[in-house]
Amino acid sequence: MNPPQGGENEAPHHQSFGLKTLLSPLGILYRLWTMSIRFQYHDEDGREEFQKITESVTVILWHNRLFLAGEWHQRFRKGKRLYGLISGSRDGAWLETFYKWAAIRAIRGSRNRRGAQATRDLIRKVKDGHDAGITPDGSRGPKYEAKSGGLLVARASRSPVALVSFSYGRAIRLKSWDEFVIPLPFSRVRLRTRILPNEELFKDRDLDQATKRVQECLMEMTDD
């Protein structure tokens, strides 16, 4: 969900219909798995602040919290669609399948495939009334190190930034670069959100300074 930069006008790879059909049982399992999760807000002030936001937002969360992003959005941002950027590579085709299970609309692009155009497409979606999802440390890390490209969408669309973080009681941590977290079925997940108004975030800050501010705020919300 991290905006790419630059790139060629080259068509992205997609999974074949046959492979998507074979993977469909996993999609059903994923949906049942995430629907069983019980969200609990960390504090009521954060919940009230978030519920007041009716305009489109740029959602920012760490890459290892991505498993629940779609389910969270469906429960707490009803009436809004969530869009995210995915690499145009073959690896990105697998992630696109996961996004569909999670009800996240994919916009394909990367440094080498439709990069600049994909970012413009995502900005347009936000201006059209939808939400954008960004993992500022994705897709290859380093873990918890935000890249400035992730803030391009928020700055260009003038949308508020919605920081999101999940704390897990019972979960599996994969041995990946980001220690990707998968909560166990029927477990309770504590939810933190924080709204950074666009004019406040970018006032007297350039893109790098705004990125540093977002990283600091996200780390305050991260419990590991």
Side-chain angles (χ1 to χ4, degrees), residues 14-164:
H14 296 280
Q15 298 287 10
S16 67
F17 176 78
L19 184 55
K20 289 179 180 178
T21 301
L22 289 174
L23 293 173
S24 60
L26 292 178
I28 295 172
L29 175 62
Y30 169 79
R31 290 297 304 131
L32 294 173
W33 190 310
T34 56
M35 288 171 63
S36 75
I37 298 298
R38 294 170 292 162
F39 285 107
Q40 180 181 37
Y41 247 92
H42 179 73
D43 64 271
E44 284 302 313
D45 289 341
R47 183 189 187 107
E48 291 177 4
E49 179 190 34
F50 184 74
Q51 289 180 330
K52 291 178 182 177
I53 299 296
T54 58
E55 59 193 300
S56 298
V57 299
T58 300
V59 179
I60 297 184
L61 72 165
W62 294 127
H63 192 272
N64 63 7
R65 263 68 174 175
L66 189 55
F67 187 85
L68 288 177
E71 182 64 26
W72 161 80
H73 193 268
Q74 288 189 94
R75 295 193 200 183
F76 294 93
R77 291 289 287 173
K78 293 180 179 179
K80 296 284 186 182
R81 291 182 177 179
L82 180 62
Y83 286 83
L85 292 186
I86 305 176
S87 168
S89 67
R90 288 183 175 84
D91 289 342
W94 289 97
L95 188 55
E96 182 182 24
T97 299
F98 167 78
Y99 269 28
K100 288 181 178 178
W101 297 344
I104 301 174
R105 276 72 175 179
I107 296 177
R108 303 294 300 277
S110 68
R111 290 182 182 274
N112 298 317
R113 298 177 187 273
R114 297 186 66 252
Q117 182 59 49
T119 301
R120 288 193 292 269
D121 290 345
L122 188 58
I123 292 168
R124 189 175 300 111
K125 291 296 183 183
V126 178
K127 290 183 176 180
D128 287 344
H130 307 294
D131 292 344
I134 304 293
T135 54
D137 59 340
S139 56
R140 298 181 180 178
K143 175 184 173 183
Y144 299 158
E145 184 175 309
K147 303 179 183 67
S148 59
L151 271 293
L152 285 173
V153 174
R155 186 177 68 174
S157 64
R158 300 185 181 276
S159 61
V161 168
L163 303 180
V164 180

Side-chain angles (χ1 to χ4, degrees), residues 204-222:
D204 301 325
R205 292 190 182 97
D206 60 23
L207 192 61
D208 288 337
Q209 291 169 332
T211 301
K212 183 178 179 181
R213 174 61 177 161
V214 164
Q215 178 172 305
E216 291 172 349
C217 291
L218 266 183
M219 288 309 300
E220 291 173 2
M221 299 164 61
T222 304

